[in-house]
Amino acid sequence: MVDESVLAALAGLSVTMSLPFLLYGAWIMIDAETVSWNVLTHHLRYIGVGLALTTVPIVGWMIPRVLRRLTGLAVIHAFLGLQAYALLAFALTGIVRIFQAKRNADAYEDPDVDIDELHEDMSHWRARLRAGVAGFMILWLCAWVTGLYRFYSIHIVPML
């Protein structure tokens, strides 16, 4: 069987590889003057890969093993990760409503539509989206750094 350190390194590598996908996906939306359907699908391709590279190791490797080494650092790591995904879910509550409003008004096809005039709650939904995505990325980075330190202390230090 493969050593646990190798599997932990592969899980960490997968999560680390997701960062450029998440950042580039965010950059696509930040850089876009108008979010057309093509911009949205281009953005979602990168975000989807980034989330898959993060979520698969979490579900398949990290969650099943968190109770084996339930230390303070493991709790902090799990808490930060859980809060990151909670903020992503919060962002999704805004994304879904924005998508519905833009789709109903055909705003993905007409770039001249003022998004704030589509619905009276649009600014509220956009604020949810921004807060959720920013919070996700900040907490994701904190969980990632904590996970790297955990990997170092569990799998590297004992070999020294």
Side-chain angles (χ1 to χ4, degrees):
M1 188 166 160
V2 180
D3 186 39
E4 188 169 310
S5 294
V6 173
L7 294 174
L10 290 173
L13 184 61
S14 177
V15 172
T16 301
M17 286 174 33
S18 72
L19 182 59
F21 288 98
L22 295 172
L23 292 177
Y24 185 67
W27 177 252
I28 290 169
M29 295 304 267
I30 292 168
D31 192 44
E33 199 170 306
T34 304
V35 179
S36 66
W37 186 254
N38 289 337
V39 170
L40 179 64
T41 56
H42 186 65
H43 158 76
L44 290 176
R45 281 186 210 114
Y46 284 94
I47 294 300
V49 171
L51 287 175
L53 285 170
T54 297
T55 306
V56 169
I58 288 171
V59 172
W61 168 258
M62 296 173 196
I63 291 174
R65 286 166 180 73
V66 74
L67 293 177
R68 286 190 205 163
R69 291 184 188 227
L70 196 57
T71 63
L73 196 56
V75 170
I76 291 170
H77 180 70
F79 177 78
L80 291 170
L82 184 63
Q83 294 307 304
Y85 275 90
L87 280 169
L88 182 60
F90 180 70
L92 286 174
T93 64
I95 291 170
V96 168
R97 301 298 293 179
I98 293 167
F99 175 78
Q100 288 173 336
K102 285 186 78 171
R103 194 73 172 152
N104 291 341
D106 251 355
Y108 286 114
E109 305 305 324
D110 183 9
D112 296 329
V113 173
D114 183 13
I115 189 172
D116 288 322
E117 293 181 9
L118 295 179
H119 196 278
E120 65 268 4
D121 292 331
M122 186 61 76
S123 62
H124 176 70
W125 298 334
R126 292 176 77 192
R128 276 185 180 193
L129 172 61
R130 288 185 189 110
V133 169
F136 170 78
M137 284 309 302
I138 290 167
L139 289 169
W140 184 96
L141 287 168
C142 293
W144 178 65
V145 169
T146 307
L148 289 177
Y149 181 74
R150 284 192 69 221
F151 175 79
Y152 173 77
S153 64
I154 293 170
H155 299 288
I156 303 297
V157 169
M159 293 190 302
L160 299 178

